[in-house]
Amino acid sequence: MGLERKLRLFIYARIVVSFLFLASTVLLNYQDLTSAEGHLQSGLIRLMAFSFLFSLCCLLFLRLQRYHAFIAYLQTIWDLLFVTVLLLFTNGILSPYSFLYLLSIMSAGLLLGGRQALYAASLCSILYGSIIDLQYFGLLASIGLSRSDAQQLGASHIFYTIFFNLMGFYLTALITSFLSARARESEEALREKTVNYDELERLSTSIVSNLESGLLTITPAGRIRVFNRYAETITGMTQTDAYNSRLVDIFPALADIAGHMDSRMDGEFEYELPSGETMTLGYNAVSFCDSQGVSAGAIVNFKDLTSMKRMETALKRADRLAALGEVSARMAHEIRNPLAAMSGSVQMLAEHGSVSEDDQRLLKIVLREAERLNGLITDFLAYARPSSPCKERFELRPLVEDLIMLLSSDSHFRAVSFRNLVAAHILIQADINQLRQVLLNLFRNSAEAMPEGGVVGIESRFQLSGADGFNKTPAAVITVTDSGCGIDSTTAAHLFEPFWTTKAEGSGLGLAVTYRIIEAHGGTITVESPPEGGCRFTIMLPV
């Protein structure tokens, strides 16, 4: 307990005690008032009034911290003087209020310490002994203390009265000193413990708040208590919003945790963000107990595994492509050499005049298929051994306008209309030729998905990408949306794989090459069917 608080308590206690003593004195000793007793009563009233005024002034000065020690000494001195004057007003040796010296000694010990308590006991002994002796020898008759009252008790009684009071004063001082020292030690120990607990609380709060994973605790009833910052970022809810909410209302896939708190649980589940994006979260849950060993709930830790899953998929694809790249050059060389010989021979035969018209038609089919095979090998090489992008900074909108103008004369795009919604200020850092090839592949894919015609929309924006909580980075987002028949989840899962196609005459390499180009730029490309229909390709390129 601080010194200021102790002083306040003692001042309040003095006000209450002074009032009670005043009331009791008036009731017990002044029922039949004489002129002398009226004088004494007037003196007591002045003493009590001064005590109230003194206490009020001390309360006002307590606001000034530098005067606290001075006020503490002043309180002790005033208590001793107050009790002394009270004894003089209430018959000295016959006064019932001599025990108040004990309270003065105790207050000195608690406010100032053990040594000051002994000093106060010595002062009490001197003051009390002086009052008794002076009254015994008649030196206080002028203030109303009768000598006969003291002499009637006898010298022996007075001696024992002084002796026992002195013993009481010093014993009180010693006991108060001991208790004050123990109380101070206990307060210091408690303060150290409190500081340690405060530090631990701040440390644990800081750790929980800044974890790079979600952390929440639930009660046995499945109600959320702790909800850290990562969880707030994932769900879009604050700690205040999530507090006392049911876990199943926020994470429906974790409904089983509340019913199996006696065992450890882990696994993965899909979580749909408020934006509509779906991410994969891995979690583990373990129960915890209170100080009595009773189950108090469970701790649930979860982490966004979306990037990791994508990385695993990319690594598997990279492993396949690594093996494919090793044999691609040899295969292309081994296929192109005989293919070139076959094409040359067929051309020589076709130019020979003795070949019939039917044979000429067959030779043209062979040449056409040879050219098709050569194009397939070229696309295959572009996919298996893509060239490193030569990145430069350029505006996206003029590139899209040039491509739309180029395709306007293509017969495949006669029934297709384009909507260029790319803002004029969007700057992209990429290989302009490779990005042109990507957009051409997507436009052709959209046109083939709309044989009866439709609309292709191109948009772009900047946003923070990534699913690692606080480690989000800015990225340029390009979307190509058509109004075709859409795409199902099975097709979307295989759409970027080489040689996988749903078209009768498709090679299955156009979107695969597109994927490799975006991958070489450090970006991502995804496909989905929006609620309004059609198909949407989303490209994200790091800024």
Side-chain angles (χ1 to χ4, degrees):
M1 185 185 298
L3 180 59
E4 180 181 359
R5 187 178 178 186
K6 290 180 181 178
L7 287 171
R8 288 186 183 277
L9 291 176
F10 278 109
I11 292 172
Y12 291 145
R14 182 188 299 110
I15 293 174
V16 174
V17 172
S18 298
F19 175 78
L20 293 176
F21 280 158
L22 177 60
S24 63
T25 301
V26 172
L27 292 175
L28 295 176
N29 297 331
Y30 298 102
Q31 295 179 357
D32 297 325
L33 298 178
T34 64
S35 60
E37 291 171 342
H39 174 72
L40 291 176
Q41 186 183 30
S42 177
L44 283 175
I45 293 174
R46 291 192 185 95
L47 178 63
M48 297 303 173
F50 189 80
S51 177
F52 284 126
L53 181 62
F54 174 79
S55 300
L56 181 62
C57 293
C58 290
L59 283 176
L60 294 177
F61 275 96
L62 278 180
R63 299 179 180 179
L64 303 176
Q65 189 173 2
R66 57 181 177 175
Y67 292 119
H68 286 176
F70 172 74
I71 294 175
Y73 280 100
L74 192 62
Q75 293 290 313
T76 302
I77 295 172
W78 167 250
D79 286 341
L80 296 177
L81 294 177
F82 177 83
V83 176
T84 302
V85 175
L86 184 62
L87 291 180
L88 293 176
F89 281 153
T90 54
N91 295 331
I93 191 172
L94 298 179
S95 175
Y97 302 122
S98 59
F99 75 93
L100 292 178
Y101 277 126
L102 301 178
L103 298 180
S104 301
I105 296 170
M106 293 172 62
S107 65
L110 294 175
L111 290 176
L112 302 174
R115 182 178 297 179
Q116 284 74 12
L118 292 173
Y119 294 158
S122 300
L123 286 174
C124 289
S125 301
I126 294 172
L127 292 173
Y128 185 71
S130 299
I131 291 174
I132 301 303
D133 289 339
L134 292 175
Q135 184 178 3
Y136 181 79
F137 291 107
L139 299 177
L140 299 178
S142 59
I143 61 173
L145 294 182
S146 174
R147 177 182 180 184
S148 61
D149 292 338
Q151 289 182 346
Q152 286 177 1
L153 296 175
S156 299
H157 186 278
I158 292 176
F159 173 77
Y160 284 116
T161 299
I162 296 175
F163 175 76
F164 285 119
N165 276 279
L166 295 185
M167 290 293 294
F169 294 158
Y170 280 104
L171 285 175
T172 301
L174 291 174
I175 294 173
T176 303
S177 300
F178 174 76
L179 295 177
S180 177
R182 291 297 301 272
R184 190 173 293 108
E185 292 175 1
S186 299
E187 287 181 1
E188 291 177 356
L190 179 61
R191 189 180 299 111
E192 292 178 0
K193 293 289 185 181
T194 303
V195 169
N196 291 337
Y197 283 130
D198 289 342
E199 290 179 355
L200 289 175
E201 182 180 1
R202 288 193 297 270
L203 180 61
S204 61
T205 301
S206 177
I207 292 174
V208 170
S209 298
N210 295 285
L211 278 175
E212 285 293 330
S213 62
L215 182 70
L216 58 88
T217 63
I218 59 174
T219 64
R223 298 283 180 174
I224 293 177
R225 290 295 181 262
V226 176
F227 202 74
N228 75 341
R229 190 181 305 170
Y230 186 96
E232 293 178 345
T233 303
I234 292 293
T235 61
M237 300 178 63
T238 64
Q239 166 75 66
T240 305
D241 297 333
Y243 185 82
N244 207 39
S245 298
R246 296 194 307 165
L247 178 64
V248 67
D249 293 337
I250 300 178
F251 298 109
L254 301 182
D256 293 339
I257 292 180
H260 299 82
M261 290 191 181
D262 55 341
S263 60
R264 181 184 180 91
M265 298 182 62
D266 53 39
E268 299 176 2
F269 65 96
E270 299 292 328
Y271 178 72
E272 184 175 353
L273 297 174
S275 61
E277 181 183 356
T278 301
M279 60 169 49
T280 303
L281 298 178
Y283 75 94
N284 59 75
V286 60
S287 62
F288 67 95
C289 300
D290 58 16
S291 59
Q292 305 298 325
V294 180
S295 177
I299 301 174
V300 183
N301 184 35
F302 60 91
K303 178 74 174 178
D304 181 13
L305 303 180
T306 307
S307 297
M308 186 179 300
K309 293 295 183 180
R310 291 174 180 171
M311 188 180 299
E312 290 177 357
T313 304
L315 287 175
K316 291 178 181 179
R317 185 181 290 110
D319 290 340
R320 293 197 301 267
L321 292 177
L324 188 62
E326 292 180 0
V327 299
S328 60
R330 296 179 183 179
M331 288 182 60
H333 177 73
E334 294 298 330
I335 293 174
R336 274 182 167 174
N337 285 340
L339 188 62
M342 291 169 57
S343 297
S345 300
V346 169
Q347 287 179 359
M348 291 179 64
L349 288 174
E351 294 174 357
H352 198 276
S354 61
V355 179
S356 64
E357 184 177 348
D358 292 338
D359 292 337
Q360 287 280 355
R361 187 167 59 254
L362 292 175
L363 291 176
K364 288 180 181 179
I365 294 174
V366 173
L367 286 174
R368 185 177 71 246
E369 294 301 320
E371 291 177 359
R372 181 171 175 272
L373 183 58
N374 186 60
L376 182 62
I377 293 174
T378 302
D379 291 340
F380 175 72
L381 284 175
Y383 174 75
R385 297 170 57 186
S387 60
S388 299
C390 182
K391 296 182 180 180
E392 57 181 300
R393 201 170 182 83
F394 60 91
E395 289 192 17
L396 179 62
R397 185 177 179 85
L399 174 62
V400 176
E401 290 176 348
D402 292 344
L403 288 175
I404 293 175
M405 186 177 296
L406 174 65
L407 297 175
S408 62
S409 59
D410 193 328
S411 60
H412 294 87
F413 292 86
R414 288 178 182 175
V416 176
S417 60
F418 290 91
R419 288 192 303 174
N420 186 4
L421 303 179
V422 178
H425 63 278
I426 296 293
L427 294 176
I428 302 296
Q429 187 171 355
D431 188 314
I432 188 170
N433 293 321
Q434 292 187 1
L435 187 59
R436 181 183 289 109
Q437 182 181 355
V438 167
L439 294 177
L440 280 173
N441 288 342
L442 295 180
F443 291 164
R444 290 195 179 100
N445 190 79
S446 297
E448 292 172 355
M450 300 183 297
E452 303 299 329
V455 180
V456 177
I458 308 97
E459 300 181 39
S460 184
R461 67 182 186 279
F462 289 111
Q463 73 173 39
L464 292 177
S465 67
D468 294 329
F470 309 110
N471 297 329
K472 292 183 177 294
T473 57
V477 181
I478 305 171
T479 60
V480 177
T481 308
D482 61 54
S483 58
C485 58
I487 186 172
D488 55 56
S489 58
T490 303
T491 303
H494 300 281
L495 197 60
F496 298 110
E497 294 182 2
F499 305 110
W500 193 94
T501 180
T502 58
K503 303 168 187 175
E505 297 181 357
S507 64
L509 286 174
L511 291 178
V513 171
T514 298
Y515 184 91
R516 289 303 303 273
I517 292 175
I518 298 302
E519 186 182 46
H521 280 75
T524 61
I525 179 170
T526 57
V527 61
E528 62 178 344
S529 288
E532 60 272 16
C535 183
R536 177 186 295 148
F537 288 88
T538 302
I539 300 172
M540 299 187 70
L541 295 176
V543 176

